[in-house]
Each structure stands twice: as structure tokens, then as C-alpha cells.
Amino acid sequence: MKFTFRLVTAIWLGALLVVASFAFVQVREERERLTVDLERRGVLLGESLKEALEPVVARGSKPAVERILKRFSTATRALAVYDRYDSLLLATPDLTPALPPVFPEVTEALVSGNVTSGFRRLGDQNRYVYAAPLHRDDRVVGALAVVLDAGHLSVAEWGVWRKYALHFVVLASVVSLIALVIVQSAVTRPMAQISAWTRALRTGRQVPPPSIPDAKLFGPLAGEVVRLARSMQRAQAAAEQEAALRLSGETIWTEERLKQYVSLNLEGRSLVVVSNREPVSHYWRNGKIHPQIPASGLVTAMGPVMRVCGGVWVAHGSGDADVETADARGRLGLPEDDPRYTLRRVWLTKEEEQGYYYGFANEGLWPLCHIVHTRPTFRPDDFAHYQAANRKFAETVLSEIRDAENPLVLIQDYHFALLPALVKAERPDARVAIFWHIPWPNFEAFGICPWQRELLEGMLGADLISFHTQYHCNNFLETVDRALEARIDWEKFAVTRGDHATHVKPFPISVAPEFLEDPPPITREDLLRELGVSVEFLGVGVERVDYTKGLPERFRALGWFFERYPEYRGRLAFVQLGAPSRSTIARYQQLQHEVEEAIREVNEAWQTRTWRPILYLNRHHEHRDIWAYYRHSDFCMVTALHDGMNLVAKEFVSTRDDEGGVLILSRFTGASHELHDALLVNPYDLSATAEAVHAAVEMPAEERRARMQRMRRVVREHNIYRWAGLLLHELSHLPVAAAPVRAS
Ligand code: F6P
């Protein structure tokens, strides 16, 4: 109320000031215009009467003067004639009583011999006086006073003031009204909603945050309030969940539990995570910078962990606007709207990226470890770049842990096989783990790598090496056994070289229990409408376009399905979300072509005028878009030919709080070791995969629900917080002899 009153008062005062200034100027102009008019009339009359009056006044002929005065005076113009001694000779009758004994203008005209003029109050009226001397033979013989009515001047001035007063009232009222409406809708109401919401949160009620139409209006403060309240809500929900779990005796890892674990057990030790892929890249689009979360299982998994644990995430800054969005050291706080950890970007040249990432990591190690019949390519130049990039990342990590005691360093993936030894050589006190997200093949397969020795020695610099499955741990130990001089303890799963022991253990990675905190309000109908399809059954696949994902096999299997089960033609559509990936590599370009061909073949074989079996959305999709596909499809296909874990399978399960949907899952993924209630398939077996699609759409609702319930329990229990908690626990409790490791 006070604010509204102040606002309205300010508007009225402001309007008054502006309108009064305009009115003042206008009044002055009006007065000048009317005065000029009076002057002109006075001069005109005075000049024309002078000629007639001068001889008769010189003669002292009163009758002649009287005749002239009678002829030229009117109701609004009076005349008076004086002799040279300043005595009144004659004046028009109605003027005579109002004339002062001394008429200053007349006196001055007589004395100076010049015309004088001015305003004067005569009687009760305002008049304009024009006094001119009368001459005869160069002598002043008298004076003429022309007295004009000037009453209309104040009438006109008041008219202007009245007009502007009206303008002022209308203007101030309209502006006040508009301001009140805006304040009400954009400030008062949202503020009231926010305070009602924060009040509700304070009293422990779970109320969703209000949607504020123009949060920018309040500036950063409003954003901060909203974020504060949101994190309060999150913290409260986490605490309640934690309490409920404790009461029910369950030991599920939650965000809150991991937070507590980190603060109680790591005792302020610094945590540094290293990966090639960064959690967010920034790109220029149409002159503006846009953030993009890369399509990467690693990022999906590590994001929530870093938000809980804090620390520094070192990664390659690969976006074309990454430099602009970080500080001079390549650092920025993430998430950008509520920073909980620091991203430290490492800059690589185009040549370094080409050799280290595209070349050695993705044309060499990636096919080497996946064994999906794409031949690895090993080029000495690429390996040199790989070594250089690992050294560059090592320098960055070392600079980040310079002042930290016993820091924890979590290295991610096959891009950094050399990094553990490089870090450990400089900082023996650091606890270093490397998590290998992709499969580890058997020793014969790995042995074809010309630099297997360097890679193994680099990895063995770590205190802990981890894979998704025990099978991959065993493959790794066997590879070490065959390739290096080392002592292997098959009971403890540890490798000892010199004084340094490396433990090798599986930690199957996972996702956060919630795929999205606030899923979009999109219904299945909305989704189908957006896709422009009208079908009973919807299937989905979500992948980077990668030859390990079994995409052509999947589409061929769908072709078989439509051939074998014609009753599903026109009733089932499959949507493939395919994020472009590593597209400068020839094999990936070839795969893109193969995928398009396989889809074209199926579509051409079975499509009708109104229905297409496969829709291919070949672009990057954000988690919010993917959520709707996971949540509203009848089945999700994960047909990877070989995969360390495959988090798409777990993401799909985590979104299905409706307990619907069927997961068709390749038995060659790490996820298949945990999600036994998926329909497990051999993706190379097209016929069996087609049968799995059939089984998925025909599955009775009850069985579907029971399977999904069991899978959801697995994902809920074996979530990413558990993964991080157990991994950090293992790493921080390993017996580490702080002997320096020799880096190759
Ligand atoms: O596990 C392999 C992995 O690093 C995953 O994180 C992710 O799915 C993929 O590779 C990402 O590939 P890239 O970072 O090359 O796009």
C-alpha cells in the first residue's frame, strides 16, 4: 500500500512538473501574442489620431478635440488628451472617473517627447496604455493617451491554465492506472506468489514453485530467490526421502546421503574429475551464445555427482563459444544459474584434437575395445598427439591440486590412459582412479595396439582402475599379465609393480533416480501431434550415431517385424533420435549413410500415404526433449553391438514412473547384467530382435508393469550416487604407499 501510494504520488508530482512547465511556456507565449496585438492597435490608433489632434490641441480648441474623441472612441478603446502642462483637456466619458491624477505614461511622453506604453490598472480594469506626445513646430503641445481594454489577456491566460490542468489530471490518472496494473501483475502478484510459496515451504509443504512470467523484471535478485527456494525444496525433499529410507531400514544412496558421506569422510579433500567431454559446451548461434549439454553417458552420470560433491571438473573446451564463457584460466561455475562446482576447460589446437581425440582415441582405442568389426587405425602421429594431450591435461590437473593435501583425482575414460602415471609421478600423495567407460577386450585383441605397453603403464599409475563389469576387470588383468612384468594378486584383484599397487574393481555406473527434476508437461497426444503421426504404438531409440550402437541392425529387425506382422503396419511408428557424433571420421560418415539407407529401405517397403514406419530425427536433443520420448513410448530399443554399460537403458527405466513401457536390450551391454527384466536380445539376430518387438507390443499390461517395477527398483538402488559413494569410498580407503610412479 505504502509502495503504491508512493508510486502514485511520484507519478502525479512528475506529471505536474512536466505539465506545469508546458503550461507556463504556453501562457507566456499567449501573453506575448496578445500584447503585440494591443501594441499594434495602440500604435495604429495613436499615429492616425496624432495628425488630427496636433493642430487643435495647439490651438486649445476643446470642441474640436471632443469631436475627434467621440468619433474614435469605442467601448473597448478610450482616449484622453492632455495639454503641455500635463493637465487633462478631455477624455472619453467612461474613462474620466478612472483616470489617476498623475498619469505616468502621459507625463513621461510629455517630458521625453517619446511614445511610452504599458499595462496599468485603471478603475477595476486592467488596461493597456499607449501615450504619444503631440507636436506643433517641433514643440510638444500636449499628449494623447490611447487606453485599450486588456481584460481579455487574463481571460486567455486562465483558459490556457485550465486546459493544461485538465491535461494534467487525465495524464496523471491514466499513467497511474497503467502503472498500478503493471505493478499489480508483474510485481505485486508474483511477489505475493513467491512469498506464499516460500511460506508454504517453510511450513514443510511440498508446493511446486510458481511460474513467474517475467523473472528478468526482478533482475538477478528474483532469480536468486527462486533458486534459493528451489534448493530449499530439493534439500527438504532429499531430507524427507532420507528419513523415510532410514525408517524403512533401506540403505539406498541418495543425493543427500552422498553429500553427507563426502562431508564426513573426505574431510575437505579436493576432488578433481577429468574427462574429455565437458558437462556443457557453449556455441554461437545467430549471434548469440547457447549452452548445450553434450550427448554423452559420461556427462549424464557425472553431472549429478559433481553437483553434490563440488570440486573441479577438467575437460576439453570444445564449443566455439567456450572461450567467451569462461574466465582467463578457462574456469566457470556450474550449473550456471546455481554454481556448485568449477569447470576448468583445457584448450586444444585443431591438430591436437584431430590426433588425440578423433585419431588415437576414436579411430584406435574405441574400435579396439568394442570389437564390432571396425578395424582400429593406429597412426604414430595420433599417438604423439595423444601423449601431448595427456601431458597437457596432467599440467592442468597438477595446477588445480597444487595447494591441496591428498587430493582425489577421478580420471574418466579411454582418452586418458597415460594420465594416471603422469599425475602420480608428480603427486604421489594424490589418490588417483581411472574409470574406463568402454569395454576392455581380451588380451589377444588388446595386444594388437602398438602402444599397449605405454597405455598399461600409464593406467597402472592409478591407485584404482575401474570398469563396469568384473569380466572387463578380468580381461584387463590378463592383458597386464601377458604384456608387462608385474605381480598380479588374483584374490585381491591388484597389480603390483615395484612399490606401487593398483586395485582393479568393477563399479557399474548408473544414472540419477530422476532423469529430470521438473519434466515438461507434455502428454503422449502432444508428442504424437508434434511428430505428425497417429499410431497406437510408439517405439523409441536414443543414441549418438555410432557404429557400436547397432542402428542398421535395429532398423532391419523392424523391417522384419513389419513383414512378419502386417497387422502392425499403420499402427506402430518407431522414432530414432540420432545425435551426430565424431562426424569428421570416415567410418562415422559411412555409418550415417548406412543408417539412412537402412531406414529408407524399411520405409519404402512398408510406408503408406499416411504412415511411415521409422522417423529419423538426426540432430542433438536436450534431456527435456528426450524425456517425452522415453516417457510416452511403448518400448525402447537398445541394440548396441557392444557397450560398456549403456545409460540409455537406465535413463528409459528412470523416466517410467507410470511403470509402463518395455525395454528391449542388447545382451552385449553392461546394463544387461543388471536389467534382467528387459527383453534381452542378440542384436545381430534380426529375427529374434523382431520377435522381441512383437513381444513388447503384445505384452500383457500386468507383466509389463511387473517387469518395469523390478527394473525401476534396480535403477533406484544402483543409482549414480551409490556409484560415486562406493567409488570414492574405495579410493579414499585404499592402502596407498606414497612412492612416486615413473611416468613413461
Ligand atoms: O563411454 C564412452 C563415452 O565416453 C560416453 O561417455 C559417451 O556415450 C561417449 O563416449 C561420448 O562420446 P564423445 O565424447 O566422443 O562424443
Side-chain angles (χ1 to χ4, degrees), residues 38 41 45 72-79 92 94-95 125-128 146-152:
L38 282 174
R41 278 168 57 205
L45 192 60
F72 289 97
S73 57
T74 64
T76 57
R77 106 184 155 202
L79 300 167
T92 39
D94 37 345
L95 179 65
Q125 279 179 26
N126 192 25
R127 313 280 182 117
Y128 175 76
V146 178
V147 180
L148 299 173
D149 183 8
H152 64 290

Side-chain angles (χ1 to χ4, degrees), residues 277 296-298 357 362 366 413-414 437-438 544 581-582:
R277 192 55 70 200
S296 159
L298 185 154
Y357 171 76
N362 286 318
W366 181 265
D413 239 346
Y414 57 100
H437 288 254
I438 60 176
R544 288 180 304 106
S581 179
R582 306 172 189 168

Side-chain angles (χ1 to χ4, degrees), residues 276-278 294-300 357 362 366 370 412-415 436-438 468 544 546 549 580-582 588 643-645 647:
N276 171 70
R277 192 55 70 200
E278 55 183 341
S296 159
L298 185 154
V299 166
T300 308
Y357 171 76
N362 286 318
W366 181 265
H370 280 92
Q412 309 293 314
D413 239 346
Y414 57 100
H415 310 88
W436 199 263
H437 288 254
I438 60 176
H468 294 296
R544 288 180 304 106
D546 192 294
K549 304 294 179 190
S581 179
R582 306 172 189 168
Y588 283 79
D643 216 334
M645 172 53 72
L647 289 183

Side-chain angles (χ1 to χ4, degrees), residues 20-37:
S21 316
F22 277 115
F24 178 74
V25 172
Q26 174 89 55
V27 163
R28 232 181 39 193
E29 281 174 6
E30 187 64 7
R31 168 174 271 273
E32 271 167 21
R33 191 181 63 78
L34 292 175
T35 306
V36 167
D37 187 50

